[in-house]
Amino acid sequence: MIEILEAKSGERVVKLDGRLLASRIDPRAEAQTWLKSRMAFVNKVKTIFVLGLGSGHHIQEIRSHTDARIVVIEKSQELIETVQPWLLGCVDVVIEHIRESRDLRFCNSVRDAIKQSFIVLKHPPSLAVAQSFYDGCFTQLLGRDWGHLTWQWNLKDLPALESQPRVEPKGELLTIYDLAQTELVTNSSERERLLLKALRELVK
Amino acid sequence: MKVLVVSLLRLGDLLQMAPILTALKRQMPRYQVDLLTHVHPKLAQSLLPSIEKWWLMDRDELQSGLGEAEIPLLTSFSVLKEQLDQINEQKYDLIINLTQTQFSAWIMAYLQSTDRLGLSFDRRGHAHFHSPWFRYLNDHTSPGEDVFHHTDIFANACSLDLTQDQHFFSETSKGQREWESLKIEKPFVAIQALTSDIKKNWGLEAWQKTIDSVITRMDRDIVLLGAPFERAQLEKLKSNLNLNRVHLGVVSLEGALSVLNHADLLITGDTSITHLASGARCKVLELSLGSSDLHRTGIYRSGNLILQPRLKCAPCPHSGACSQPTHACAQQLDPEIVSEIAQYFLTDAWNEMSTKAQKVSAKTQIFKSRILSTGFWVAEELSQTEPLKIIDSILDRSTLKLAFNNSSEQIVTFGSEGVRLKNEISDIVDPMLFQSAVARLDFLEQDLCTQQGRFEVGLWTLKRERPVVTDQLVDVTQLRQQQRHLKDEARKIEIKIKLVRSLRSQLMENT
């Protein structure tokens, strides 16, 4: 159920199923603080995925900092219908309604975005409403397990990392060390290998 | 024509390359010179106006993308690829890599250009240097060797003549405003007390003693230079000093340049400020501690001083902690000696300075920087007990220069190099010692001729080797490498003999 409230600062704030999706005091200030701690790559990547539409203030905040495409992943259709009109002034913002996290990989705007550089920003109030859904989306976009890594790699239309998985991830998440052990890097002359070798040097 | 210079080290290294960048533009005025660097343009772009396009590769960001669990694994890869693809679209005619690191070599492998200089890997990961000068840089990595200054290596590799004019940075209006805001009216000494490397730091207590002594000896005010993030430490230092005479100079790099141009003297550790001061007008007294390698990166301007404690471990390797139980080099450098030398320097009391250098030489080496007319930077030790030893150093440099810069088919102008050498030695060595210098050259020539004979025998022996298929194959590649090495060394000896003879005849005219 959706309620629209007014924050002390005068902005609109949405309550979804009894949970506030932004600060009741000053949602713009909250959005500024949220983004300030997440600025890595914001001005470098072609796409910024945002998990959770919230009340839209954090989307506006991102837009004020970068021209990158913003792709918002949101589980609630009702929320999208409510908040999307508030973002009409924000150019190049795509809001995708995804019912189940496994549907993410079939979404065209997601597939297109993955072909180039991107980051993923999580909106904590939205995650609190549908934690496992957004966790599932995040894992796919993070690409730090073999299955999702190869899905993303193949979307980029690059030479195959390898034909058979040889990489044994140390701990839970893959790292550049694991990528550096793939067939592409150890036994090919493809140009992409050169970049992975360079990146490997950065963490030595 | 478009040139891309790759400098993927730190701010100080980039500032050290400023004479190279300026000379590139001066000698190739119709070329567009661009830069690929980790240094943010807001820090140094205004100081390097010869650069047209500044490509920023944010190293910290790429590293965080690789390490942080919340950032997609392929983000750093994609961002790097997109940037390098964009650079490749520029179709550079020449790319010069002034960074001797594996990271830069892989980046060079990905970048495309008609020509290139400097370290680059090929697709198979084999290193190529594209110049004997860069190979020399690769082959001589031990700290403390008497080697070419990095600026000399890069200048010669790029066939640039840095002796034509002294490089100075241009002040900016922003820098001048920052200087004016400090409201310093009296003559002053600038102090750069902090460095980015804990091993290179002298310690605030030592600085405090030095500053107190400088104020007393020289009747100068003090300006403590630093970046905004260093303010707290500098405030702490200042609080222990004469507040009326000590000022904080927390300014940008542009502001620091303006401060230096008004200072009588800068006393500094090995930092980016040292390299900024190379292109400023104040005198510079550099303290070489920790991993600071003065022969490679000392203040690149004639007539300045470098102090280094005499310790077996100095300079230490960049990576790794101090090998001593205490920070021995910092402790050995006496603040009173530093302030006394500074006083002599300020008043051009070179005789007194040399006398002092002799007295303290057991514990502290005092060097004077000099750019030779042969085009090289050297650090001349003031307490040198063997004054003719500098001749060996100068001869070695000229030998390598002629060997690297000339193919074996070209006629090498030994005569003119000999004249330059003689002029240089006349400046450095007492004419009373010329006869001893001639005798030294005689001995050197004999020794070189003996070596030459040995190399000729070695080459003849190798030529007779045939690859024979027996139980053990003779390594043909290894044989060829040995042959090449011997030929190179034989050529260097031949060049050095000719230089020695040319120099000797020049000196004998004056004895």
Side-chain angles (χ1 to χ4, degrees):
Chain A
M1 192 189 83
I2 293 220
E3 281 178 74
I4 301 172
L5 308 168
E6 186 175 317
K8 272 192 179 167
S9 57
E11 274 120 0
R12 288 171 287 198
V13 169
V14 174
K15 209 171 184 181
L16 176 65
D17 298 337
R19 286 181 193 256
L20 272 173
L21 295 184
S23 165
R24 190 76 192 268
I25 315 285
D26 190 343
R28 286 309 297 271
E30 181 192 51
Q32 284 166 5
T33 306
W34 169 83
L35 183 61
K36 208 171 167 185
S37 61
R38 292 164 171 81
M39 285 300 292
F41 291 107
V42 161
N43 289 309
K44 298 279 184 352
V45 294
K46 303 279 192 216
T47 303
I48 299 175
F49 285 106
V50 182
L51 301 184
L53 181 57
S55 303
H57 302 289
H58 58 300
I59 309 298
Q60 289 170 327
E61 186 62 23
I62 295 170
R63 176 49 71 228
S64 71
H65 280 86
T66 175
D67 293 332
R69 166 163 285 202
I70 301 171
V71 177
V72 184
I73 307 297
E74 175 52 52
K75 188 172 170 59
S76 164
Q77 178 67 45
E78 194 186 357
L79 182 66
I80 293 173
E81 286 165 9
T82 306
V83 175
Q84 190 165 25
W86 304 350
L87 297 173
L88 282 176
C90 282
V91 295
D92 210 5
V93 174
V94 175
I95 304 174
E96 292 288 353
H97 173 229
I98 307 287
R99 287 182 220 276
E100 303 288 340
S101 59
R102 61 172 179 259
D103 298 335
L104 185 78
R105 56 169 59 204
F106 304 111
C107 174
N108 283 334
S109 57
V110 169
R111 294 168 69 85
D112 284 341
I114 284 173
K115 289 175 184 174
Q116 296 179 309
S117 56
F118 67 91
I119 52 168
V120 189
L121 301 182
K122 294 190 275 191
H123 183 237
S126 301
L127 264 62
V129 174
Q131 187 75 48
S132 64
F133 165 75
Y134 286 114
D135 282 349
C137 293
F138 185 66
T139 300
Q140 291 178 71
L141 294 173
L142 194 63
R144 286 189 183 258
D145 62 86
W146 186 247
H148 295 121
L149 172 67
T150 46
W151 167 62
Q152 289 187 23
W153 188 267
N154 292 336
L155 275 175
K156 291 182 186 294
D157 203 23
L158 296 169
L161 282 170
E162 64 179 34
S163 55
Q164 290 177 14
R166 283 191 207 178
V167 171
E168 293 296 328
K170 300 172 184 53
E172 292 180 9
L173 301 174
L174 288 176
T175 67
I176 189 68
Y177 298 100
D178 302 303
L179 266 178
Q181 289 174 54
T182 58
E183 188 81 13
L184 173 73
V185 178
T186 60
N187 198 23
S188 82
S189 58
E190 300 289 353
R191 282 170 59 72
E192 287 69 25
R193 166 180 176 263
L194 306 171
L195 299 180
L196 292 170
K197 285 275 198 183
L199 290 169
R200 175 75 177 80
E201 291 297 326
L202 282 185
V203 294
K204 265 188 178 168
Chain B
M1 183 144 167
K2 284 168 139 186
V3 178
L4 177 69
V5 176
V6 177
S7 177
L8 294 174
L9 293 171
R10 295 186 297 182
L11 174 61
D13 301 291
L14 179 61
L15 292 176
Q16 199 182 187
M17 293 304 111
I20 307 289
L21 299 172
T22 306
L24 261 175
K25 192 68 189 173
R26 187 188 67 236
Q27 289 187 206
M28 299 188 280
R30 285 175 302 166
Y31 288 11
Q32 175 180 322
V33 180
D34 296 345
L35 178 70
L36 173 62
T37 177
H38 291 318
V39 176
H40 201 286
K42 71 180 177 197
L43 286 178
Q45 192 170 27
S46 55
L47 294 172
L48 299 170
S50 58
I51 300 299
E52 274 197 50
K53 181 148 177 64
W54 194 289
W55 298 97
L56 172 63
M57 183 184 289
D58 194 327
R59 182 192 176 103
D60 292 338
E61 204 171 54
L62 289 174
Q63 279 178 316
S64 75
L66 297 172
E68 282 185 31
E70 297 281 290
I71 297 179
L73 181 59
L74 294 180
T75 296
S76 291
F77 169 84
S78 301
V79 165
L80 181 61
K81 183 176 189 306
E82 283 163 8
Q83 183 179 44
L84 296 182
D85 285 344
Q86 205 183 350
I87 291 175
N88 280 336
E89 282 168 15
Q90 304 298 308
K91 297 196 187 324
Y92 284 100
D93 299 283
L94 171 65
I95 301 180
I96 305 172
N97 184 13
L98 298 185
T99 326
Q100 193 85 350
T101 63
Q102 300 214 31
F103 174 71
S104 69
W106 287 117
I107 297 296
M108 287 288 283
Y110 193 84
L111 289 174
Q112 292 162 326
S113 62
T114 314
D115 254 321
R116 51 190 50 210
L117 273 175
L119 177 62
S120 174
F121 287 145
D122 60 24
R123 288 269 192 109
R124 290 169 298 172
H126 297 150
H128 298 270
F129 299 98
H130 307 99
S131 160
W133 289 96
F134 285 109
R135 180 174 286 284
Y136 171 91
L137 184 62
N138 188 71
D139 292 345
H140 292 82
T141 55
S142 300
E145 281 181 87
D146 181 20
V147 292
F148 289 110
H149 196 284
H150 282 173
T151 308
D152 289 339
I153 292 173
F154 295 141
N156 278 278
C158 299
S159 305
L160 297 171
D161 180 6
L162 299 187
T163 61
Q164 280 186 31
D165 41 42
Q166 167 73 55
H167 171 263
F168 287 109
F169 289 108
S170 298
E171 285 187 51
T172 63
S173 48
K174 177 191 169 195
Q176 284 165 354
R177 283 196 302 273
E178 285 186 65
W179 154 248
E180 282 157 15
S181 72
L182 297 179
K183 293 186 173 34
I184 294 162
E185 289 161 9
K186 293 182 182 170
F188 68 94
V189 171
I191 302 280
Q192 174 65 39
L194 302 171
T195 78
S196 58
D197 182 348
I198 194 168
K199 290 191 294 184
K200 292 182 185 176
N201 278 336
W202 195 18
L204 293 183
E205 203 181 308
W207 279 112
Q208 184 187 321
K209 288 178 185 169
T210 303
I211 290 167
D212 278 334
S213 180
V214 163
I215 292 173
T216 309
R217 281 175 185 271
M218 293 183 250
D219 190 25
R220 293 287 197 283
D221 277 13
I222 299 290
V223 173
L224 298 176
L225 281 173
F229 68 89
E230 294 170 327
R231 181 180 282 275
Q233 282 184 278
L234 294 177
E235 298 263 19
K236 187 180 166 190
L237 175 60
K238 186 184 168 188
S239 66
N240 293 325
L241 296 163
N242 180 337
L243 295 178
N244 290 332
R245 306 216 63 181
V246 177
H247 314 265
L248 275 192
V250 176
V251 291
S252 67
L253 214 54
E254 295 166 73
L257 176 63
S258 294
V259 170
L260 293 176
N261 280 341
H262 287 87
D264 290 335
L265 171 67
L266 165 70
I267 307 177
T268 175
D270 178 9
T271 71
S272 53
I273 292 295
T274 315
H275 303 304
L276 182 69
S278 287
R281 301 193 187 267
C282 62
K283 291 183 176 180
V284 179
L285 171 54
E286 182 184 342
L287 307 181
S288 180
L289 300 172
S291 56
S292 169
D293 197 335
L294 67 101
H295 294 287
R296 289 181 164 89
T297 60
I299 172 95
Y300 196 79
R301 178 157 53 91
S302 271
N304 290 288
L305 296 180
I306 306 172
L307 267 63
Q308 185 183 60
R310 195 185 289 275
L311 282 165
K312 280 188 184 158
C313 58
C316 51
H318 276 287
S319 55
C322 177
S323 61
Q324 304 300 315
T326 59
H327 194 191
C329 53
Q331 288 173 353
Q332 187 161 306
L333 189 61
D334 185 341
E336 270 308 310
I337 292 174
V338 173
S339 66
E340 189 177 347
I341 294 297
Q343 183 182 21
Y344 292 146
F345 190 19
L346 211 55
T347 53
D348 293 323
W350 289 100
N351 289 336
E352 287 84 342
M353 205 189 307
S354 293
T355 307
K356 187 70 184 181
Q358 300 279 355
K359 283 185 185 161
V360 304
S361 64
K363 286 199 165 178
T364 306
Q365 296 173 276
I366 302 173
F367 296 92
K368 181 180 176 185
S369 63
R370 175 188 283 267
I371 297 181
L372 306 172
S373 57
T374 46
F376 298 110
W377 183 96
V378 291
E380 195 191 327
E381 193 174 351
L382 293 186
S383 65
Q384 180 58 267
T385 49
E386 292 178 71
L388 298 179
K389 209 172 166 194
I390 190 92
I391 296 177
D392 297 345
S393 186
I394 295 173
L395 268 171
D396 283 339
R397 278 165 168 75
S398 285
T399 301
L400 284 177
K401 177 180 88 174
L402 296 181
F404 289 165
N405 288 352
N406 294 273
S407 71
S408 53
E409 286 78 38
Q410 285 179 349
I411 296 169
V412 180
T413 51
F414 296 105
S416 41
E417 189 70 11
V419 170
R420 279 192 283 269
L421 286 170
K422 190 225 94 183
N423 289 340
E424 205 64 68
I425 285 161
S426 302
D427 275 343
I428 300 172
V429 174
D430 187 341
M432 300 289 288
L433 293 174
F434 276 13
Q435 259 190 323
S436 305
V438 168
R440 189 183 184 95
L441 290 171
D442 286 337
F443 175 76
L444 190 55
E445 186 185 350
Q446 276 177 32
D447 186 48
L448 287 169
C449 288
T450 310
Q451 287 182 47
Q452 189 178 42
R454 284 199 211 114
F455 275 108
E456 280 166 4
V457 168
L459 272 169
W460 180 79
T461 309
L462 274 180
K463 271 186 189 161
R464 295 192 66 210
E465 291 277 351
R466 292 280 183 269
V468 175
V469 179
T470 58
D471 291 342
Q472 286 175 331
L473 282 170
V474 172
D475 189 336
V476 174
T477 313
Q478 200 181 5
L479 268 176
R480 284 199 189 124
Q481 276 175 353
Q482 282 174 350
Q483 242 181 353
R484 215 168 17 238
H485 171 72
L486 282 178
K487 271 187 184 166
D488 285 343
E489 292 305 308
R491 181 154 187 276
K492 284 176 197 166
I493 289 176
E494 185 191 343
I495 289 172
K496 196 168 179 180
I497 290 172
K498 288 181 180 172
L499 279 176
V500 164
R501 288 175 182 160
S502 174
L503 176 59
R504 190 181 56 223
S505 69
Q506 294 285 336
L507 286 177
M508 281 173 71
E509 284 176 20
N510 289 270
T511 56

